[in-house]
Amino acid sequence: MTQTKKNTTVKDIKYYSRKFWRLFFYTIGGIFLFFLFASWGLFGAMPSFEDLENPESNLATEVISSDGVTLGKFYSENRTAIKYQDLPKSLVDALVSTEDERFYQHSGIDARRTFGAALQFGQNGGASTITQQLAKNLFHGEGSKFLLFRMIQKAKEWIIAVRLERQYTKSEIIALYFNQIDFVNGAVGIRSASKVYFNKEPRDLTIEQSATLVGMLTNPSRFNPKRFPERAIERRNIVLKQMVRNNKLEESAKVLLQKKPLVLDFHPESHQEGTATYFREYLRDYMKNWVKENKKPDGEEYDVYSDGLKIYTTIDSKIQEYAEEAVKAHMENLQKEFWAQQKNNKNAPFVNITKAETDKIINQAMKNSERWRVLKADDKSDEEIIASFSKKTKMTVFTWKGEKDTVMTPLDSIRYYKHFLQSGLMSMEPQTGHVKAWVGGINYKYFQYDHVGQGARQVGSTFKPFVYATAIEQLGMSPCDTIIDGPFMIRKGRHHVTENWEPRNSDHKYRGMVRLNQALALSINTVSAKLIDKTGPEAVVELTHKLGVKTEIPVQPAIALGAVDITVHDMVAAYSTFANQGVYVKPQFISRIEDKNGNIIYEPVPENHDVLNKDIAFAVVKLLEGVTEHGSGQRLRTDGGGSGDNRWTGYPYQFKNPIAGKTGTTQNQSDGWFIGMVPNLVTGVWVGCEDRSARFNSITYGQGATAALPVWGYFMKKCYADKSLQISTSEFEGPENMTINVDCIGKSRYSNGGSSGKSNDSTAVDQPEEEQNTEEFEL
């Protein structure tokens, strides 16, 4: 019996031993096959070698100024790639110390941490390395929570992590990791996060700021420093403690840093806010056609929102900033006067129009509104929609003192917004065509119509230099030639005139014999009419089109006084031709475009053509200099005040250098213009309301010299104060052996109110202010 038991026992040990080893090898083999099948993609697609080499990054396209400042981005995710060398040491140390202490020792998988986590069943956290986290973020995200699928996903993470370690250096992996993380609040990637939370580049982050951002990685929403500052500080301090543990920070430094408060400079990035908003929208629209005409090598179109392009523009960030500041300062100032003049206007802001005309404007505004679009999409009838516009509702409205919460009917809000004066400004380098500043309106969030590239408005007297240039070219005249300022009429039938046309001067005066330089300086209407009568309107139209104006211009003598709609964009380009010695250069706003790898994929070819010979162009420049020396632009030089000087923002300007320019005012003061030139910068400014029937009552404030010129003056004062911009104060360069006489004698004959700057420049006849009553809409 005893022997039998012994034999049975021996047999049982061998049996179970074989069972154990068989199970062991089956398990190892199963695991091996599991990983092998996973690597083959049997459990779902795995990234190829090409995918690992060029992972899908969904990068934002950057819009970059000529001086290297990011003006804005186009993105589906606000992510901008950054290289390892642009990361501060404190940020890398914080990441490694907190997320993966053995990062530089393992090859993608930390066996020690993985085994420890397995023994504790993950109770003290997982063992994912930085490389594994990168693998997850790059190729599948959070994935499934079902255990079996999660195991498959984990296996794929390990395989991808090992492949990433073979493919990239440790530094490259860290850079890729930081470029992938979503830091919430529209910030994807470390560069966007640095800009959104601290308004700085990553390289400029302090140690505690680096720790704050790294602290978010565990759970960006939970440790969001904007929403949960206490949690963010607590987590930041843990990161600092980890840095001490890993010998990346001294204990004494940690103690000081942990006591620091959390100080954010929160700047969420939005296409509707920031710098050059109107320009960026114009550029976005331009890129829609660009991607169709400039495709990838494989024939596919670039995706502006995810391909990480870098669009290097000609915009100078400082000049753009000064332009926006000038528009804001003057428009806020001038708007106060507009509100004051509308206080007693029953039909404010409209002047001298019927109820039917007013209703037409309001009804059109209703149909163009977002409210109308949304309600129409909900199958509401026109009657129901119109009725909704008369119901009071809570809304946030724009004011020059900031956004304001109020209650009013949508109908009243339409009329309220019609009160606001708008502006357009473009600044360009005449020799290169490089656009340096582009301000399409007063606030892109609330007024999205671009008054530089979209808004063609009547140009008034700023058109007159085209008439004078034609006369000098066609008739061989010079600025010193004389002409009579007196009553003048073009009879019906001549130059396509359908009725007798008798232009009059805005001041109802005639000066008799005057020189051309005097006539343009004082913007004498009768002289412009006589000149176009001599040249014929056809010649003027032809020259204007050569100057780059794309508007269809009526072949009528009335165009001599500016009865033509032209954009600020085209007017600046046309005037730049005079400053560029008669050579037209098409405005250019892109210098080059690069792909995400830095390869140049587009460089525009400058477009230019000769329009006028140098002598004629210089003669026109000298005529325009007379406007700022003795005419309607002389307040750029004076300091004695004048009518409406409380609205001349930045006055006195006291410029001493040569300036060529022209003011312009249209009928009923609906549009005010000023285009000013120095040798290396031409800037055009337009001011007016959205609707031409919304305007100032009199020419005092509605004329270009008051409405638009101060924007130019204030803008140029800022540009000249910034010596780094090198804006010229020199004379305009004239041609050698000048054949046209521009050195006229007897400048004392320029007389228009001394140094007060009271000269009016308008095609309009001044009208007395009217007695009007209305409710006050100003907020």
Side-chain angles (χ1 to χ4, degrees), residues 417-563:
Y417 282 122
K418 292 291 186 183
H419 279 73
F420 279 93
L421 293 163
Q422 301 295 325
S423 184
L425 178 153
M426 189 178 105
S427 199
M428 171 176 148
E429 195 174 71
Q431 292 77 23
T432 62
H434 289 179
V435 177
K436 293 299 180 181
W438 183 302
V439 185
I442 60 173
N443 184 288
Y444 183 77
K445 183 176 180 180
Y446 288 93
F447 307 97
Q448 297 188 359
Y449 190 76
D450 183 358
H451 291 284
V452 171
Q454 286 179 294
R457 293 293 288 248
Q458 202 168 100
V459 295
S461 295
T462 55
F463 191 87
K464 290 176 181 176
F466 307 154
V467 178
Y468 280 70
T470 306
I472 295 172
E473 181 181 49
Q474 300 288 327
L475 307 176
M477 301 183 75
S478 83
C480 302
D481 286 348
T482 57
I483 193 169
I484 295 176
D485 170 22
F488 176 71
M489 178 181 291
I490 294 180
R491 300 287 179 180
K492 178 180 178 180
R494 180 172 171 78
H495 299 315
H496 317 290
V497 171
T498 56
E499 297 291 341
N500 290 344
W501 182 57
E502 185 178 8
R504 296 179 181 178
N505 295 326
S506 61
D507 59 4
H508 306 285
K509 297 177 182 178
Y510 300 107
R511 296 164 180 79
M513 191 69 71
V514 295
R515 287 189 295 271
L516 287 192
N517 58 356
Q518 294 171 267
L520 186 62
L522 304 180
S523 202
I524 300 174
N525 291 338
T526 59
V527 172
S528 296
K530 286 185 177 183
L531 292 178
I532 201 169
D533 181 50
K534 291 175 181 291
T535 64
E538 291 84 359
V540 175
V541 171
E542 182 181 358
L543 175 63
T544 305
H545 284 316
K546 286 182 180 179
L547 290 167
V549 173
K550 294 180 279 293
T551 305
E552 184 177 342
I553 303 173
V555 185
Q556 293 284 339
I559 64 174
L561 307 188

Side-chain angles (χ1 to χ4, degrees), residues 204-346:
D204 300 321
L205 291 170
T206 62
I207 296 175
E208 68 273 17
Q209 289 170 344
S210 295
T212 300
L213 294 177
V214 168
M216 295 177 67
L217 298 177
T218 302
N219 189 328
S221 296
R222 176 174 173 76
F223 298 110
N224 178 352
K226 180 63 178 175
R227 290 192 62 194
F228 308 110
E230 295 82 5
R231 291 181 191 170
I233 291 174
E234 184 180 346
R235 182 63 186 164
R236 177 199 70 181
N237 292 345
I238 291 174
V239 173
L240 293 172
K241 183 179 178 182
Q242 285 295 109
M243 292 176 71
V244 171
R245 172 180 164 175
N246 286 273
N247 300 315
K248 301 300 181 182
L249 186 68
E250 296 292 333
E251 177 69 28
S252 57
K254 182 206 77 170
V255 172
L256 292 175
L257 292 173
Q258 285 183 333
K259 292 178 181 179
K260 285 193 173 186
L262 177 63
V263 180
L264 300 180
D265 188 359
F266 190 64
H267 281 77
E269 296 189 34
S270 166
H271 184 66
Q272 293 187 340
E273 298 174 348
T275 305
T277 47
Y278 289 91
F279 170 74
R280 285 189 274 132
E281 181 58 31
Y282 184 88
L283 180 62
R284 184 211 295 269
D285 193 58
Y286 172 86
M287 292 300 293
K288 291 177 183 177
N289 292 323
W290 183 89
V291 297
K292 291 180 172 61
E293 298 170 1
N294 300 268
K295 297 187 177 181
K296 296 179 181 179
D298 60 6
E300 289 188 9
E301 288 186 4
Y302 286 100
D303 188 334
V304 175
Y305 302 99
S306 63
D307 278 344
L309 305 180
K310 293 187 184 298
I311 306 175
Y312 290 89
T313 71
T314 61
I315 297 291
D316 185 292
S317 69
K318 290 183 179 179
I319 296 178
Q320 178 70 31
E321 178 186 345
Y322 300 149
E324 291 182 5
E325 288 178 6
V327 168
K328 180 182 184 298
H330 181 60
M331 299 309 293
E332 182 178 1
N333 184 22
L334 194 63
Q335 188 69 49
K336 295 175 184 176
E337 183 65 35
F338 193 79
W339 284 117
Q341 290 194 18
Q342 296 298 326
K343 280 185 177 180
N344 298 316
N345 180 0
K346 288 182 179 180

Side-chain angles (χ1 to χ4, degrees), residues 567-745:
T567 63
V568 172
H569 175 277
D570 286 0
M571 288 298 287
V572 171
Y575 270 65
S576 293
T577 304
F578 301 134
N580 193 36
Q581 300 186 328
V583 179
Y584 168 81
V585 181
K586 184 178 179 180
Q588 181 176 310
F589 50 87
I590 293 176
S591 57
R592 72 182 186 278
I593 300 177
E594 295 179 358
D595 65 15
K596 66 179 181 181
N597 298 316
N599 301 311
I600 297 176
I601 57 177
Y602 175 73
E603 281 186 293
V605 178
E607 297 181 34
N608 57 69
H609 59 261
D610 293 337
V611 179
L612 298 166
N613 70 43
K614 295 180 180 180
D615 290 10
I616 297 171
F618 187 66
V620 175
V621 168
K622 299 307 286 185
L623 284 169
L624 293 170
E625 283 186 357
V627 174
T628 67
E629 291 169 0
H630 314 285
S632 57
Q634 66 179 323
R635 62 189 59 174
L636 289 171
R637 306 187 181 283
T638 62
D639 58 3
S643 179
D645 65 349
N646 61 315
R647 298 305 181 199
W648 301 348
T649 309
Y651 186 81
Y653 313 107
Q654 297 179 313
F655 295 121
K656 307 298 182 184
N657 56 289
I659 297 169
K662 188 73 186 77
T663 56
T665 313
T666 62
Q667 190 71 26
N668 295 325
Q669 304 82 236
S670 295
D671 306 273
W673 289 79
F674 183 73
I675 301 176
M677 307 191 297
V678 295
N680 65 347
L681 196 67
V682 178
T683 304
V685 181
W686 166 86
V687 171
C689 284
E690 178 183 290
D691 293 278
R692 301 184 192 204
S693 54
R695 56 181 175 78
F696 281 103
N697 296 319
S698 70
I699 202 170
T700 300
Y701 295 100
Q703 64 175 312
T706 305
L709 178 144
V711 175
W712 191 92
Y714 192 61
F715 164 64
M716 289 299 290
K717 280 179 73 172
K718 286 181 170 292
C719 287
Y720 278 131
D722 189 337
K723 301 302 181 184
S724 68
L725 297 178
Q726 298 183 328
I727 305 300
S728 175
T729 58
S730 304
E731 298 274 354
F732 286 88
E733 183 180 352
E736 296 180 5
N737 304 316
M738 182 75 176
T739 60
I740 299 174
N741 183 18
V742 296
D743 187 16
C744 309
I745 302 173

